[in-house]
Amino acid sequence: MDLRLRKPNKTNMQFGNDHPAELKPQKRWSLACKAVYFIVSLSHKALPHNKSLLIRVVRSSSYVALDISSDSEPALENDHETPVPSTIDQNTLTDLMRDRNLQCLSQLGGVKRLAGALGTHPSLGVSSKAEDILIRKEAFGTNVFEKPPKKSFLSFVIEAFKDTTIIILFVCAVLSLGFGIKQHGLKEGWYDGGSIIIAIILVISVSALSNFKQSRQFDKLSKESSNVQVEALRDGRRQHVSIFDVVVGDIIFLKIGDQVPADGLFLYGHSLKVDESSMTGESNHVDIDEANNPFLISGTKVTDGYGRMVVTSVGMNTSWGQMMSSVSRDLDEETPLQRRLNKLTSFIGKLGLLVAVLVLIVLLIRYFTGHTKDENGNRKFNGNKTTTNEIMNEIINIISAAVTIVVVAIPEGLPLAVTLTLAYSMKKMMADHAMVRKLSACETMGSATTICTDKTGTLTLNQMTVIQLWQGKEVIVDPLSLASNLLELLRQAVGLNTTGSVCQLSSGSVPEVSGSPTEKAILSWAVFDLKMELDVLHQSFELLHVEAFNSEKKRSGVMVRQRREKRAQVHWKGAAEMILAMCSHYYDQRGMLISMEDEDRRHFREIIQSMGAKSLRCIAFAHKQIYMDDNTQQLDENGLTLLGIVGLKDPCRPGVREAVESCRKAGVNVKIITGDNIFTAKAIARECGILEEEEEIQDEAVIEGIKFRNYSQEERMQKVDHIRVMARSSPFDKLLMVQCLKQKGHVVAVTGDGTNDAPALKEADIGLSMGIQGTEVAKESSDIVILDDNFASIVTVLRWGRCVYNNIQKFIQFQLTVNVAALAINFVASASSGNVPLTAVQLLWVNLIMDTLGALALATEQPTDDLMKKAPVGRTEKLITKVMWRNLIPQAFYQITILLILQFKGNSIFGVSNRVKDTLIFNSFVLCQVFNEFNARKLEQKNIFEGVLKNRLFLGIVGITIVLQVAMVEFLKKFAGTERLDWGQWGACIAIAALSDINLTDHAYRKQEGPAYSQLMISEFSKLCVNPAISYQRIFLKDPGKGYSNSIAITYAVTDMPYKYNGVDSTLDENPMLSARLRQLNI
């Protein structure tokens, strides 16, 4: 305890200063008496808790300091008040941590005195009152890093304007505007160039606004992903607080896998090691202790042991603060799908550029040869009679049309659609308890073929309760009936070998138990059933050495000694069968020590197996008494005495069986990889539906990690597909499993929560860490954080992953249809007539419909149950499937045919002028895209309107598009270059567009089902099988309700071609699985 001079306030009394004021004699006596009374009262409070106190009185010219140092940690006090820290400035603390200066720390009085100077009580921490926390933040700063300034909306506008084609188009528009005004005057001459400029501004603004909103969304998600929860000691209670709320003086609890949230000093702990590679680049783990290296640096990771630290610097005052201020994780990274789409975009853009160049050449040749005519049928170029202004204006119009074709041809909407659907799905997944850390995981998850999941907390609730105690060879109903010596040993085994804590604020209150779920369950059982008093144990015993728990050893141990005794005790706790292997004796319920024979050991194994079969987690306790000497450093692991075995029940999560069944229907295999014993793992697998009865009979469906580890590489590759449960597995076993599955072509998703799971999480295609029980190391190694640790949330991520991929395919089909149609119409029309039916403004409007509004409409479709009935996409599946080509080609062909008919015969069919005919072409083309959006919603289904009412955004965008199109045609004639249409002409345009939604390929077979339908399909194939090798490419039939792949199966079967079914290449006669499937289809 350190009492120092504070700043004077209303409640503080200043005992002395350099210039004391004159005091009256009676006041001097009163002040002296009060000082003596204060010292005596303080000693009465301190002495009962510790008899060996060192009291020193240090005098100086400005203050008197009382320093009362204790050999042991102070007991809890209820009258704790946190003084406001004022004697140490932030610069001193920052320099101390940056230089790791032990001498400076010694001059400050050591870690505990420094903590006292910061107003921190070793056992109570700091006050959790909001005003106290605020004072600390004002004095020492907040635990946030300064980020680079966010990009403004204007910067996104500038980026959008930097596009080469937009710049060329803008230059042409400006030239057109200048020549138009010069030729026709300002009132009439601004329409052509001005309309293009307005259209360009509209396109740029919409694109920039969309990108700006997505950037803000990513920033928000980045902040949420950085919001780590840490465990702090405040008001004597362990509390979970945000890393952003950590303040100087906080005592933080650290365990394996935790990230050090701020700079601080080691206060208490055992075997603590940290990974400082993020700071120093060195991979060696650094030992942390009070004497030699008490410095803990923000951002480093705990790799072993556990401990407490007192925070000395936060935020920008930490060693890592300046470094992090210039580094921000970019959630807007380019995903694999975006890279594939960029290649597609580049190819289509080059094709569009080629078409544009051809159109430019053709139009220029036709113009200068006199083949281009105006609306009245007169030649536009008449040699010397044509003015320079007219020639330049026409050339600019031709260049504008050609450049606009390039603008329309380049599918900028593809990257935008990916960004939109990823951002939309990320936002929705956050609501469904899944936080995406890497964008690529959204799309990759949709291709997952195998999910390797943990058991505890993922398939189960992680709400453990001790429901059974085996003492010797009998079940104990009332633990208090045990012999007193045995009962005391059990209390010691639980209370001294734990990382949890018990806090009882008052004598009548219910104790609060903190720690991991397993620790909380065992501590609660000991407190309430064994009547254990944790404080009494800690005061009676001295902790000498600790072996912290990790997933490799699956046990933890302590060496303790009762005060004033030479004998020490070793206590071990861990996996029952592993503790059993270390024991040579056991206690019966009367407290008698009995030697453990082979028969006894076999009986204990049967007990563990029977508990595991009831899906109980088995934890055993063992101890041994030893005599201490100077060389005793390691905990004895042999010749222990078994104290007892407890069974912890962790019930399965509600709905987990249905979630596993959904994965099976979706063609995704689920495997359990757990550290529990094989019997518990098997029981949980049966309960969750992962292990079926017929699979349980199969050899190697359930194995232990050591067995899988000892297989040869060939054996592992051969058996990995058949494994459903791997028990007693280490993180290395999990990594081996992932590597084997990936080598066999699987897309693997892996869950993990521990530090040692990091290699498997990084190796997997999709790493899924647990948000509640997961360590920070596991979270940083993962792609997606499951916030509620629930397997059902993993299935939700799978649905969203498939939805992302499906939405991108929908937009690709929609975009390519428009691209093909627009390019073909403009090229054919320009080559044949010398006129482009769609002007630059009209093409820019179509581009806006495609790229932005179309992306918004199709990229925000919600996932449906049908997505979980399809087989996984896999690694090598083509982005543009045969089904998409089947939908795309007829649609584009229909639009090209109809619009070219209107181009060449529209005047005679409708009896209208060229300007009205061009308006009919423009209107029909836009309405075709509106109906095509409906067609693109369902790639493989007949009913394209199914579920459309549930997507209000889609309906809203379609409605906005139609309203704007009506305005373009009816009210913005000069801007859009259109003429008003009458009701009949509008009806014709709508009818033309509506006909595009009829799928002619499937129409003949829409109502036919059953054997007759199958025979009809075979008959049709027989007619087409002139060349069997290509017959399956010539027709695409779909069996209603059975799936598109069945038609392909039938095609192969009829043509007797090799067909791959369930991974087996064979013909109909050679593949019994295919034959059975065809019989199931009544063929």
Side-chain angles (χ1 to χ4, degrees):
M1 186 173 182
D2 196 7
L3 303 177
R4 296 182 183 275
L5 181 65
R6 308 294 181 195
K7 291 182 179 179
N9 55 37
K10 293 181 181 180
T11 59
N12 289 345
M13 179 178 289
Q14 188 165 334
F15 289 107
N17 53 40
D18 294 335
H19 306 283
E22 290 294 328
L23 295 175
K24 294 180 180 180
Q26 57 267 38
K27 287 192 175 182
R28 291 177 182 172
W29 280 106
S30 175
L31 182 60
C33 291
K34 286 180 180 179
V36 172
Y37 176 79
F38 171 76
I39 295 171
V40 173
S41 299
L42 185 65
S43 65
H44 280 306
K45 281 190 175 184
L47 282 171
H49 300 298
N50 193 344
K51 301 297 183 183
S52 55
L53 295 177
L54 174 65
I55 304 178
R56 290 184 297 143
V57 180
V58 183
R59 295 188 175 273
S60 74
S61 60
S62 61
Y63 62 84
V64 176
L66 288 177
D67 187 5
I68 305 176
S69 60
S70 169
D71 293 335
S72 64
E73 193 171 292
L76 295 177
E77 299 178 23
N78 294 327
D79 57 347
H80 167 55
E81 293 183 3
T82 305
V84 180
S86 63
T87 59
I88 298 180
D89 63 5
Q90 183 59 63
N91 291 334
T92 302
L93 295 173
T94 303
D95 294 341
L96 170 69
M97 295 304 302
R98 184 186 63 234
D99 301 333
R100 305 193 186 194
N101 193 329
L102 283 172
Q103 184 179 358
C104 178
L105 179 61
S106 178
Q107 291 173 354
L108 291 171
V111 176
K112 291 182 180 177
R113 288 191 195 173
L114 179 59
L118 293 173
T120 302
H121 191 286
S123 298
L124 302 178
V126 301
S127 172
S128 61
K129 294 179 181 178
E131 54 268 25
D132 292 341
I133 299 298
L134 182 60
I135 289 172
R136 290 179 179 275
K137 288 183 177 179
E138 289 175 350
F140 298 105
T142 57
N143 198 30
V144 292
F145 300 124
E146 295 179 4
K147 299 288 183 68
K150 297 178 181 178
K151 293 173 65 175
S152 64
F153 175 73
L154 181 61
S155 64
F156 285 99
V157 172
I158 294 172
E159 280 186 12
F161 191 77
K162 286 180 180 178
D163 185 86
T164 306
T165 53
I166 291 292
I167 293 174
I168 295 173
L169 196 58
F170 187 77
V171 171
C172 291
V174 171
L175 292 175
S176 177
L177 181 64
F179 284 113
I181 293 174
K182 183 177 180 180
Q183 186 174 359
H184 302 290
L186 179 62
K187 188 175 181 179
E188 298 290 335
W190 72 273
Y191 289 127
D192 290 341
S195 299
I196 296 175
I197 291 174
I198 293 172
I200 290 172
I201 293 172
L202 182 62
V203 170
I204 288 176
S205 300
V206 172
S207 175
L209 180 62
S210 176
N211 289 330
F212 176 74
K213 288 184 66 178
Q214 301 318 315
S215 174
R216 289 293 180 266
Q217 177 71 20
F218 290 140
D219 288 339
K220 182 180 178 182
L221 289 171
S222 177
K223 184 178 181 180
E224 290 178 357
S225 67
S226 302
N227 188 12
V228 178
Q229 294 293 309
V230 299
E231 203 171 16
L233 182 66
R234 292 182 178 177
D235 291 334
R237 298 171 57 238
R238 292 169 73 155
Q239 303 178 25
H240 287 279
V241 299
S242 167
I243 191 172
F244 302 131
D245 294 330
V246 171
V247 294
V248 169
D250 259 330
I251 292 179
I252 305 296
F253 291 87
L254 299 174
K255 60 183 183 299
I256 296 176
D258 282 352
Q259 173 183 315
V260 179
D263 283 1
L265 296 168
F266 176 84
L267 193 62
Y268 169 81
H270 291 278
S271 308
L272 192 65
K273 292 184 178 182
V274 295
D275 176 10
E276 295 186 351
S277 58
S278 58
M279 285 294 298
T280 64
E282 298 292 335
S283 58
N284 295 332
H285 297 165
V286 179
D287 290 307
I288 302 295
D289 57 58
E290 188 174 359
N292 301 314
N293 182 25
F295 303 103
L296 288 156
I297 307 301
S298 174
T300 57
K301 308 294 189 304
V302 179
T303 59
D304 199 7
Y306 62 89
R308 302 180 189 180
M309 64 173 281
V310 59
V311 175
T312 58
S313 300
V314 294
M316 296 304 296
N317 295 317
T318 63
S319 303
W320 209 27
Q322 295 295 333
M323 184 195 311
M324 288 300 295
S325 66
S326 60
V327 177
S328 60
R329 187 169 60 85
D330 187 11
L331 272 172
D332 196 16
E333 78 268 17
E334 192 178 59
T335 70
L337 181 58
Q338 284 176 321
R339 286 192 286 271
R340 292 172 66 183
L341 288 177
N342 285 340
K343 292 181 181 178
L344 179 63
T345 300
S346 176
F347 172 76
I348 297 174
K350 291 175 182 177
L351 181 63
L353 182 61
L354 176 62
V355 173
V357 170
L358 292 175
V359 168
L360 178 65
I361 294 171
V362 169
L363 290 180
L364 287 175
I365 291 174
R366 290 185 62 90
Y367 175 73
F368 285 109
T369 55
H371 289 84
T372 304
K373 298 180 180 180
D374 58 19
E375 295 178 0
N376 300 319
N378 300 321
R379 294 170 60 180
K380 289 186 176 182
F381 182 75
N382 294 305
N384 295 331
K385 297 180 181 179
T386 308
T387 64
T388 304
N389 283 346
E390 290 174 341
I391 294 174
M392 292 301 298
N393 202 38
E394 187 63 26
I395 290 175
I396 289 171
N397 288 337
I398 291 172
I399 294 174
S400 298
V403 172
T404 308
I405 289 174
V406 177
V407 173
V408 175
I410 296 175
E412 301 99 335
L414 287 179
L416 176 62
V418 175
T419 303
L420 283 172
T421 191
L422 289 175
Y424 179 75
S425 62
M426 285 172 69
K427 183 178 179 181
K428 290 293 184 180
M429 278 195 274
M430 180 66 78
D432 290 335
H433 311 294
M435 183 178 68
V436 178
R437 298 188 73 255
K438 295 180 182 177
L439 281 178
S440 58
C442 287
E443 62 197 45
T444 311
M445 192 65 191
S447 306
T449 60
T450 302
I451 298 176
C452 299
T453 178
D454 286 333
K455 177 187 75 67
T456 304
T458 308
L459 299 173
T460 62
L461 285 170
N462 210 12
Q463 297 174 359
M464 298 188 186
T465 309
V466 176
I467 64 170
Q468 201 171 81
L469 167 63
W470 280 83
Q471 179 56 54
K473 299 179 181 180
E474 298 179 14
V475 178
I476 305 301
V477 178
D478 181 13
L480 295 178
S481 65
L482 294 170
S484 59
N485 66 323
L486 185 55
L487 187 60
E488 185 59 32
L489 283 172
L490 277 174
R491 289 168 179 162
Q492 294 173 18
V494 174
L496 298 174
N497 186 12
T498 182
T499 56
S501 65
V502 179
C503 177
Q504 191 165 6
L505 298 179
S506 61
S507 57
S509 63
V510 177
E512 293 183 10
V513 182
S514 304
S516 68
T518 303
E519 294 285 1
K520 286 173 65 176
I522 296 175
L523 277 175
S524 298
W525 169 72
V527 169
F528 295 109
D529 290 8
L530 301 183
K531 306 303 179 185
M532 178 189 73
E533 296 182 8
L534 193 61
D535 291 341
V536 175
L537 280 175
H538 285 169
Q539 291 172 11
S540 303
F541 285 86
E542 180 184 359
L543 202 57
L544 303 175
H545 190 68
V546 175
E547 286 283 344
F549 177 89
N550 64 44
S551 53
E552 288 283 354
K553 297 180 294 187
K554 301 192 186 304
R555 63 180 183 269
S556 65
V558 294
M559 182 187 297
V560 295
R561 179 176 59 191
Q562 201 158 9
R563 300 191 188 279
R564 296 178 300 278
E565 284 193 8
K566 292 185 178 180
R567 289 188 306 174
Q569 294 190 55
V570 174
H571 283 280
W572 284 100
K573 173 184 70 179
E577 65 269 28
M578 294 188 173
I579 298 296
L580 179 64
M582 300 161 62
C583 295
S584 61
H585 295 78
Y586 70 95
Y587 283 109
D588 64 9
Q589 62 180 346
R590 298 186 303 276
M592 300 296 293
L593 188 64
I594 302 173
S595 178
M596 188 180 296
E597 305 296 337
D598 291 341
E599 182 65 29
D600 299 322
R601 197 177 299 276
R602 189 160 45 249
H603 185 75
F604 282 121
R605 288 199 191 100
E606 291 173 358
I607 291 173
I608 295 169
Q609 291 177 14
S610 66
M611 295 172 73
K614 298 174 186 175
S615 66
L616 298 182
R617 169 177 279 191
C618 302
I619 304 294
F621 303 95
H623 94 113
K624 183 179 182 179
Q625 283 195 346
I626 61 172
Y627 286 92
M628 289 288 296
D629 58 38
D630 296 336
N631 297 323
T632 306
Q633 294 293 333
Q634 297 296 323
L635 272 66
D636 203 337
E637 299 184 5
N638 298 308
L640 304 178
T641 301
L642 183 66
L643 295 176
I645 304 172
V646 293
L648 285 74
K649 180 67 175 177
D650 187 10
C652 281
R653 288 183 179 273
V656 72
R657 190 176 184 90
E658 291 76 10
V660 170
E661 184 61 26
S662 296
C663 288
R664 283 179 172 268
K665 289 180 179 178
V668 179
N669 295 317
V670 181
K671 303 178 188 292
I672 292 182
I673 304 179
T674 179
D676 275 344
N677 69 58
I678 195 167
F679 305 101
T680 305
K682 188 187 295 186
I684 292 292
R686 281 196 300 265
E687 195 174 341
C688 296
I690 293 174
L691 189 64
E692 302 291 347
E693 291 182 6
E694 60 272 15
E695 293 174 331
E696 193 172 350
I697 298 172
Q698 295 177 5
D699 188 28
E700 312 295 349
V702 182
I703 66 168
E704 289 189 334
I706 189 170
K707 188 174 182 180
F708 182 75
R709 196 184 317 147
N710 291 332
Y711 282 150
S712 66
Q713 180 65 16
E714 293 74 18
E715 287 177 314
R716 280 197 291 267
M717 294 295 290
Q718 181 182 354
K719 296 179 180 182
V720 69
D721 283 331
H722 303 292
I723 295 173
R724 290 289 175 267
V725 179
M726 186 160 70
R728 284 292 178 240
S729 61
S730 68
F732 179 71
D733 300 327
K734 183 182 287 190
L735 178 62
L736 269 180
M737 172 77 80
V738 173
Q739 289 172 340
C740 289
L741 288 169
K742 287 183 69 176
Q743 288 171 21
K744 294 205 74 174
H746 290 276
V747 179
V748 187
V750 170
T751 68
D753 55 10
T755 303
N756 292 334
D757 289 328
L761 289 169
K762 289 182 177 179
E763 179 70 23
D765 297 287
I766 313 103
L768 304 165
S769 63
M770 301 296 107
I772 299 174
Q773 291 302 316
T775 64
E776 289 310 309
V777 174
K779 291 176 185 176
E780 288 200 0
S781 301
S782 67
D783 305 306
I784 298 174
V785 180
I786 306 300
L787 299 176
D788 61 353
D789 292 12
N790 193 345
F791 185 80
S793 298
I794 298 175
V795 179
T796 301
V797 172
L798 180 64
R799 283 164 56 91
W800 273 107
R802 293 190 172 194
C803 181
V804 167
Y805 197 86
N806 192 246
N807 286 348
I808 297 302
Q809 287 185 315
K810 293 174 185 177
F811 184 74
I812 289 173
Q813 178 182 300
F814 171 74
Q815 178 104 59
L816 292 183
T817 303
V818 184
N819 284 344
V820 171
L823 289 176
I825 292 165
N826 278 288
F827 177 71
V828 174
S830 63
S832 57
S833 65
N835 292 317
V836 178
L838 300 175
T839 65
V841 173
Q842 292 170 358
L843 284 173
L844 285 172
W845 168 236
V846 172
N847 189 65
L848 183 64
I849 295 174
M850 286 192 312
D851 286 349
T852 306
L853 298 181
L856 275 171
L858 294 173
T860 55
E861 283 280 340
Q862 298 271 0
T864 62
D865 292 335
D866 292 335
L867 291 173
M868 297 299 287
K869 296 176 183 177
K870 298 179 181 179
V873 174
R875 293 184 184 277
T876 57
E877 185 77 17
K878 292 181 179 179
L879 191 58
I880 305 177
T881 64
K882 293 178 180 178
V883 176
M884 293 170 65
W885 284 118
R886 179 199 68 183
N887 296 336
L888 188 156
I889 293 174
Q891 179 70 231
F893 182 76
Y894 171 81
Q895 291 185 22
I896 293 169
T897 303
I898 292 296
L899 297 180
L900 286 179
I901 290 174
L902 289 177
Q903 170 69 16
F904 297 112
K905 299 293 183 180
N907 301 82
S908 57
I909 293 174
F910 291 96
V912 294
S913 65
N914 284 335
R915 194 172 177 85
V916 175
K917 178 201 70 175
D918 289 343
T919 303
L920 284 169
I921 293 174
F922 168 59
N923 201 34
S924 299
F925 185 61
V926 170
L927 292 178
C928 277
Q929 309 324 315
V930 172
F931 279 90
N932 192 25
E933 283 182 321
F934 285 93
N935 197 43
R937 286 186 66 250
K938 302 291 181 181
L939 297 179
E940 300 182 16
Q941 293 184 16
K942 306 285 193 313
N943 186 5
I944 59 175
F945 299 104
E946 181 183 351
V948 70
L949 296 178
K950 296 179 181 179
N951 193 341
R952 295 181 180 178
L953 181 60
F954 178 87
L955 293 176
I957 290 171
V958 169
I960 291 172
T961 305
I962 293 174
V963 169
L964 291 176
Q965 179 62 19
V966 171
M968 291 277 285
V969 173
E970 298 295 326
F971 305 108
L972 301 174
K973 298 189 298 179
K974 291 186 177 181
F975 170 75
T978 57
E979 288 290 333
R980 287 188 173 184
L981 302 179
D982 58 32
W983 287 106
Q985 291 164 346
W986 270 102
C989 293
I990 294 171
I992 290 170
L995 283 172
S996 67
D997 269 348
I998 297 179
N999 195 333
L1000 300 176
T1001 309
D1002 291 331
H1003 183 69
Y1005 309 102
R1006 186 172 298 175
K1007 300 294 183 182
Q1008 304 181 58
E1009 300 181 17
Y1013 168 73
S1014 302
Q1015 292 297 329
L1016 176 62
M1017 291 204 322
I1018 292 176
S1019 173
E1020 290 295 321
F1021 275 115
S1022 300
K1023 294 175 185 177
L1024 290 167
C1025 285
V1026 178
N1027 183 355
I1030 62 169
S1031 64
Y1032 72 99
Q1033 297 176 342
R1034 297 180 57 187
I1035 189 168
F1036 298 91
L1037 299 173
K1038 184 176 177 182
D1039 188 352
K1042 304 295 184 182
Y1044 174 74
S1045 61
N1046 297 333
S1047 303
I1048 301 299
I1050 295 166
T1051 312
Y1052 280 97
V1054 172
T1055 58
D1056 200 34
M1057 291 174 60
Y1059 173 67
K1060 195 162 191 170
Y1061 189 83
N1062 282 5
V1064 180
D1065 289 315
S1066 62
T1067 61
L1068 178 62
D1069 295 331
E1070 296 170 349
N1071 192 337
M1073 295 178 70
L1074 176 57
S1075 302
R1077 182 67 175 137
L1078 295 179
R1079 283 196 299 273
Q1080 183 182 352
L1081 297 174
N1082 298 322
I1083 299 176

